Amino acid sequence: MTRRWLSLPLATALLVPLVAACGSDSGGVPVINLYYSTEQNLSTVIEDCNRQAAGRYRIVYNVLPRAADEQRVQMVRRLAAEDSSMDVLGLDVTWTQEFAGAKWIREWTGENAAQVENGTLAGPLETARYEGKLYAAPKNTNVQLLWYRRDLVQQPPTTWAEMMEQARQLRAQGKPFRIITMGAQYEGLVVLFNNLVVSAGGHILNDDWTRAELDSGAVRALQVLQEFASSGLTSPSFTNLIEDPARLEFQAGSGAFHLNWPFVYPAIQQAAPDLARNVGWARYPGIDPGRPSRVTIGGYNLAVSAFSKHPDLAFDAALCLRNEEHQKFSAINDGVPPTIARLYDDPEIAEAYPMKDDILAELQDAAVRPLTPAYQNVSTVLSASLSPPQSIRPEQTANELRKSIQDALESKGVLP
């Protein structure tokens, strides 16, 4: 869920009030209302798109709260009421299927779809589809990396078992040893579990996302998560940690390893420059030797409301907001990794993202969270069932999850 470097992670920042846009067109120029989370320099992109529109329309930025759950609630309420003042919507990658299934957003077709699909990384593009059709345009993406202390670790581990063994050796030597990541009962725990499941070759749902599966790979993931949580190698606060508190704990010096989003890099450089000189990065650890991890992608997609009064202009505005020029600007200035593959060869991107090769490698073999309109229900069930992770009983927990997730898919007994 975390998707920026220059501001706090979504889950930890204060809410920003929604700025209501004028519902009517001003001076004869159609207003395209953009509903999007806080992005520090997005206004500059909007100004450029308005300049390029040359009076055909004017984009107005309606700032949603930083917290993803609050963003979703505000948009769902307005869309359920068929609010025609909404035009372009910034959707967390887990919401596209829900909004498309509810018929709240329009399909991308023809030349508009072709422009989105051309050169966009496959993983982010997959999050923008529902039932084989394109319903959103990936604007930015994200993946977690392994951050580690180069003054403590000679070679970064490639598997969880190797990472835990290195941590045990550091503990025996009286050195900082902890593996710090997010384990609170929220979406971050679901992401951690999904990373493990897909890296083990497993599935939470079946291939068409309609049935709870929890196969042997998922059971293996439950075993690894339980062993990790019970190892004594985690932070004492593991079951309460979300993104930025986890980063702060690693920054304080007690950790040898840290699993988190790329915002860690500039944050530690600014807040702890002495430590930053010794912080390296590598691909997220996998499960089996010789098989690279597959890591859950985050990010945001742009969709056009089904109730927009100016859908053609809204599609044009969304294309401008996520085009190559503006994805490059946002990547460099707001720390949101681009979804257009060729940007990773750009020298300016390389300077802003010294870890861009690792980010791209993970993106090219990315994992996605279950692509279902009922994802909010599935996520609620997973985070509740997995918490606290040290209490997991792999086979039993898998059996329980099969039933509760199937109920969630059918919207039985779970609040959205």
Side-chain angles (χ1 to χ4, degrees):
M1 295 176 65
T2 304
R3 62 184 187 89
R4 63 192 72 252
W5 302 8
L6 303 182
S7 58
L8 290 177
L10 293 178
T12 62
L14 297 176
L15 300 184
V16 175
L18 181 66
V19 179
C22 178
S24 61
D25 299 344
S26 175
V29 177
V31 169
I32 300 301
N33 285 315
L34 167 67
Y35 286 79
Y36 201 86
S37 178
T38 303
E39 190 170 295
Q40 187 170 334
N41 294 285
L42 184 57
S43 293
T44 302
V45 172
I46 291 169
E47 289 171 8
D48 191 53
C49 287
N50 285 339
R51 190 161 45 247
Q52 293 182 31
R56 291 185 299 116
Y57 58 80
R58 179 171 61 89
I59 303 171
V60 173
Y61 183 13
N62 297 265
V63 185
L64 291 167
R66 290 187 186 271
D69 288 348
E70 291 297 322
Q71 295 171 31
R72 176 180 169 274
V73 166
Q74 288 199 17
M75 285 194 286
V76 164
R77 287 175 176 170
R78 299 181 71 147
L79 291 166
E82 300 186 2
D83 186 341
S84 63
S85 71
M86 305 182 81
D87 297 295
V88 180
L89 313 175
L91 305 183
D92 185 284
V93 292
T94 64
W95 302 337
T96 305
Q97 292 71 37
E98 176 188 5
F99 282 44
K103 303 186 185 306
W104 290 334
I105 54 179
R106 296 174 183 265
E107 181 187 353
W108 288 67
T109 59
E111 180 59 26
N112 289 334
Q115 287 191 52
V116 171
E117 292 168 342
N118 182 29
T120 298
L121 290 161
L125 197 59
E126 186 179 1
T127 71
R129 298 190 188 281
Y130 173 63
E131 294 185 340
K133 298 177 181 179
L134 188 68
Y135 278 92
K139 178 186 175 293
N140 61 265
T141 188
N142 220 344
V143 283
Q144 294 183 12
L145 296 172
L146 168 64
W147 307 90
Y148 66 96
R149 290 272 300 273
R150 289 184 295 193
D151 55 330
L152 300 172
V153 178
Q154 292 186 347
Q155 186 70 27
T158 60
T159 67
W160 280 79
E162 185 181 355
M163 180 169 62
M164 288 191 282
E165 180 56 31
Q166 289 185 9
R168 291 187 188 96
Q169 292 175 9
L170 289 169
R171 181 174 59 184
Q173 297 166 17
K175 297 178 179 179
F177 66 90
R178 297 195 185 281
I179 302 168
I180 299 173
T181 194
M182 293 73 71
Q185 185 180 323
Y186 82 120
E187 185 66 16
L189 182 57
V190 178
V191 168
L192 172 56
F193 179 57
N194 195 62
N195 291 344
L196 295 171
V197 171
V198 183
S199 294
H203 301 80
I204 296 173
L205 305 185
N206 62 351
D207 288 340
D208 62 4
W209 314 104
T210 59
R211 189 183 71 252
E213 189 156 311
L214 278 296
D215 55 16
S216 60
V219 173
R220 178 86 185 281
L222 288 167
Q223 291 171 337
V224 172
L225 181 55
Q226 194 277 334
E227 289 169 6
F228 170 64
S230 305
S231 66
L233 304 172
T234 67
S235 161
S237 304
F238 173 56
T239 55
N240 293 309
L241 282 181
I242 59 177
E243 284 89 348
D244 208 50
R247 186 267 301 178
L248 289 170
E249 189 163 324
F250 179 68
Q251 184 177 297
S254 66
F257 306 97
H258 183 38
L259 301 167
N260 209 332
W261 307 92
F263 83 96
V264 166
Y265 175 75
I268 292 181
Q269 281 194 319
Q270 182 177 0
D274 290 340
L275 176 68
R277 284 191 284 271
N278 288 316
V279 174
W281 56 83
R283 185 169 181 141
Y284 198 94
I287 300 294
D288 297 313
R291 181 161 68 177
S293 63
R294 295 187 60 197
V295 185
T296 306
I297 54 176
Y300 271 71
N301 297 332
L302 293 176
V304 172
S305 169
F307 312 110
S308 170
K309 293 181 290 184
H310 308 289
D312 291 343
L313 298 178
F315 279 114
D316 189 78
L319 285 170
C320 182
L321 292 167
R322 60 87 59 192
N323 68 20
E324 186 169 336
E325 173 191 4
H326 293 142
Q327 285 204 34
K328 176 179 175 179
F329 174 88
S330 296
I332 292 171
N333 292 281
D334 279 326
V336 286
T339 64
I340 297 173
R342 58 182 167 267
L343 282 173
Y344 287 86
D345 295 324
D346 189 293
E348 292 179 78
I349 294 287
E351 182 178 356
Y353 290 78
M355 71 294 296
K356 62 101 176 175
D357 289 340
D358 294 289
I359 291 175
L360 182 59
E362 292 187 356
L363 287 172
Q364 289 173 330
D365 192 23
V368 296
R369 281 163 275 189
L371 298 178
T372 167
Y375 180 75
Q376 289 300 125
N377 290 354
V378 172
S379 176
T380 298
V381 165
L382 278 169
S383 61
S385 299
L386 297 172
S387 183
Q390 58 266 35
S391 297
I392 290 171
R393 297 179 181 179
E395 292 287 354
Q396 179 180 327
T397 301
N399 289 335
E400 293 168 352
L401 279 171
R402 286 187 196 98
K403 182 180 186 307
S404 58
I405 289 177
Q406 192 62 44
D407 286 347
L409 290 170
E410 298 170 9
S411 298
K412 295 179 180 177
V414 181
L415 294 175

